[in-house]
């Protein structure tokens, strides 16, 4: 209750307080900080994907700037010895302004990534963008095999979408979904979302497609392990994924020691506020935990 109150009051809190609370979720504001975090995680046996924070730009110039930042990031990542894997949000590329412009920017990024040996995953945002995002993925995937996108288990449509994509070259991250969607198009009940999540992972694995199992939910991690075992899936056909800062490191380390691949999503950049607010709303306990540690000395 107290923690929920903290999160509700966040818009009124000074930015430095929000920053302090959300620090654990962000790898810093610039590329070197993100690279350093990835390097450390890679040394611990984790795979990584880097994401420049930012979404829903309001002008074409902002979209172009975001595209340029991604092109620079590809240069940096390809020169470094960190995992060559990047995630991006279509509305940061201007999808909310113009499909054609966003497609042009995303295609340029994917082309450069292809030349540099970098994998690109197109994140999935709220439902006005689902069709457009999947259409972009379909248009690009044949030419660029190092490309993937995301399906959200809370959406009623997702099994149909997965069935279309899950040919042997499909590459999808499956997550529960983070945006507020209406009951007309999305499951609201946590168990229904879980049930659908497992159906989607099963479909991907049965079709021989590559699946990123992106969840911190121990039930879903256990069920996915059970499926992998039941279907006798080799370890190069899937990976587990988690967000930087979510406190399940021990579980993830255990997965690695069992021979599973685990990727950490590493966001960075100056646009940390919206991202941090979403993470804190997901788990208000983190706010209380961080504040308590400020005042209570163990
Ligand atoms: C790698 C990755 C990429 C993602 N990409 C997308 C995307 O492209 N589009 C999209 O809509 N969503 C995306 N998400 C978010 C996802 O949809 C869920 O909202 C989020 O993962 C929470 O769901 P959960 O499966 O972890 O289960 P939950 O039931 O929410 O969480 C399970 C457990 O983890 C704990 N936990 C969850 N979140 C946090 C947190 N922030 N801090 C501390 N503990 C926490 C919970 O308290 C709970 O104990 C992504 C998630 C991951 C892991």
């Amino acid at each position: 209750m107290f923690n929920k109150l903290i999160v509700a009051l966040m818009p009124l809190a000074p930015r430095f307080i929000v920053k302090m609370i959300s620090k654990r979720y962000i790898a810093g504001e610039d590329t070197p900080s993100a690279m350093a975090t990835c390097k450390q995680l890679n040394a611990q046996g984790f795979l990584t994907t880097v994401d420049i924070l930012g979404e829903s730009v309001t002008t074409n110039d902002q979209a172009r700037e975001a595209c340029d930042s991604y092109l620079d990031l590809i240069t940096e990542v390809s020169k470094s010895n960190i995992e060559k894997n990047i995630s991006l949000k279509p509305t940061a590329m201007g999808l909310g302004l113009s499909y054609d412009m966003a497609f042009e920017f995303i295609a340029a990024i994917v082309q450069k990534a292809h030349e540099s040996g970098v994998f690109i995953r197109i994140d999935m945002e709220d439902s006005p963008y689902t069709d457009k995002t999947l259409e972009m993925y379909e248009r690009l995937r044949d030419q660029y095999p190092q490309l993937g996108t995301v399906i959200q288990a809370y959406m009623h449509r997702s099994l149909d979408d997965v069935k279309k994509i899950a040919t042997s070259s499909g590459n999808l991250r499956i997550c529960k979904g983070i945006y507020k969607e209406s009951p007309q198009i999305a499951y609201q009940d946590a168990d229904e979302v879980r049930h659908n999540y497992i159906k989607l992972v099963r479909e991907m694995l049965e079709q021989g497609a590559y699946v990123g199992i992106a969840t911190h939910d121990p039930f879903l991690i256990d069920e996915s392990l059970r499926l992998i075992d039941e279907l006798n899936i080799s370890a190069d056909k899937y990976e587990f994924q988690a967000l930087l800062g979510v406190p399940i490191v021990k579980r993830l380390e255990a997965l690695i020691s069992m021979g599973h691949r685990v990727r950490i999503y590493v966001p960075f950049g100056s646009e940390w506020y919206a991202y941090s607010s979403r993470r804190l709303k997901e788990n208000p306990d983190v706010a209380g935990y961080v504040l308590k540690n400020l005042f209570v000395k163990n």
Side-chain angles (χ1 to χ4, degrees):
M1 186 63 203
F2 171 67
N3 299 335
K4 284 206 172 121
L5 186 68
I6 295 175
V7 172
L9 291 175
M10 260 176 50
L12 306 175
R15 277 169 84 85
F16 81 90
I17 298 235
V18 178
K19 195 167 184 178
M20 192 171 63
I21 293 173
S22 53
K23 220 168 148 194
R24 60 180 297 140
Y25 297 118
I26 316 284
E29 295 201 13
D30 54 18
T31 309
S33 311
M35 300 286 220
T37 301
C38 289
K39 216 175 196 169
Q40 202 182 342
L41 288 165
N42 293 164
Q44 290 168 257
F46 293 103
L47 306 171
T48 44
T49 183
V50 202
D51 167 72
I52 306 179
L53 291 170
E55 52 204 89
S56 294
V57 295
T58 51
T59 67
N60 294 5
D61 284 347
Q62 286 172 341
R64 186 173 298 282
E65 263 174 46
C67 174
D68 288 344
S69 301
Y70 265 98
L71 294 172
D72 291 345
L73 180 63
I74 292 169
T75 306
E76 292 303 317
V77 166
S78 61
K79 277 195 314 207
S80 75
N81 51 7
I82 67 161
E83 251 287 296
K84 300 192 176 5
N85 194 302
I86 290 177
S87 295
L88 66 82
K89 291 201 167 38
T91 64
M93 301 296 135
L95 186 57
L97 302 170
S98 150
Y99 173 92
D100 289 341
M101 177 180 68
F103 183 75
E104 186 195 315
F105 290 157
I106 290 175
I109 289 168
V110 169
Q111 171 65 32
K112 178 160 179 182
H114 176 69
E115 289 159 7
S116 314
V118 175
F119 181 93
I120 299 287
R121 186 170 304 279
I122 309 175
D123 286 350
M124 186 59 76
E125 299 177 89
D126 39 340
S127 55
Y129 305 111
T130 310
D131 278 326
K132 292 172 188 156
T133 302
L134 293 179
E135 190 187 314
M136 287 189 187
Y137 173 65
E138 286 297 348
R139 283 175 71 182
L140 293 166
R141 67 182 278 206
D142 286 341
Q143 208 181 336
Y144 302 106
Q146 292 255 82
L147 181 68
T149 188
V150 179
I151 292 286
Q152 297 152 323
Y154 62 14
M155 298 292 284
H156 296 163
R157 58 179 286 170
S158 288
L159 186 58
D160 290 337
D161 289 332
V162 166
K163 281 187 171 154
K164 281 185 217 141
I165 295 170
T167 60
S168 57
S169 66
N171 188 319
L172 290 176
R173 170 196 299 153
I174 308 288
C175 65
K176 284 185 180 174
I178 183 77
Y179 303 89
K180 180 101 194 98
E181 300 290 357
S182 78
Q184 279 73 41
I185 58 168
Y187 299 109
Q188 310 291 314
D189 177 73
D191 282 338
E192 280 187 298
V193 177
R194 277 175 161 175
H195 183 67
N196 203 38
Y197 192 108
I198 288 302
K199 268 205 227 166
L200 303 178
V201 172
R202 177 182 276 280
E203 182 68 24
M204 290 295 285
L205 295 175
E206 282 181 344
Q207 296 299 324
Y210 190 90
V211 58
I213 303 164
T215 181
H216 316 111
D217 185 338
F219 172 82
L220 289 180
I221 295 175
D222 288 344
E223 280 300 296
S224 301
L225 286 170
R226 209 187 48 68
L227 265 180
I228 287 160
D229 188 47
E230 177 198 317
L231 301 170
N232 198 18
I233 305 292
S234 66
D236 60 350
K237 295 303 286 180
Y238 65 89
E239 64 191 41
F240 289 90
Q241 298 185 352
L243 300 173
L244 182 70
V246 175
I248 55 160
V249 174
K250 285 216 164 65
R251 183 77 213 261
L252 301 179
E253 283 171 348
L255 288 172
I256 294 176
S257 67
M258 287 158 68
H260 305 290
R261 292 150 43 116
V262 179
R263 187 176 305 279
I264 307 290
Y265 186 101
V266 178
F268 77 99
S270 52
E271 301 287 320
W272 44 268
Y273 190 85
Y275 181 85
S276 306
S277 306
R278 277 212 301 269
R279 298 280 85 85
L280 289 169
K281 277 183 193 141
E282 252 174 0
N283 191 349
D285 292 350
V286 171
Y289 169 76
V290 173
L291 285 187
K292 197 170 125 208
N293 280 351
L294 270 183
F295 301 110
V296 180
K297 294 273 169 269
N298 293 315

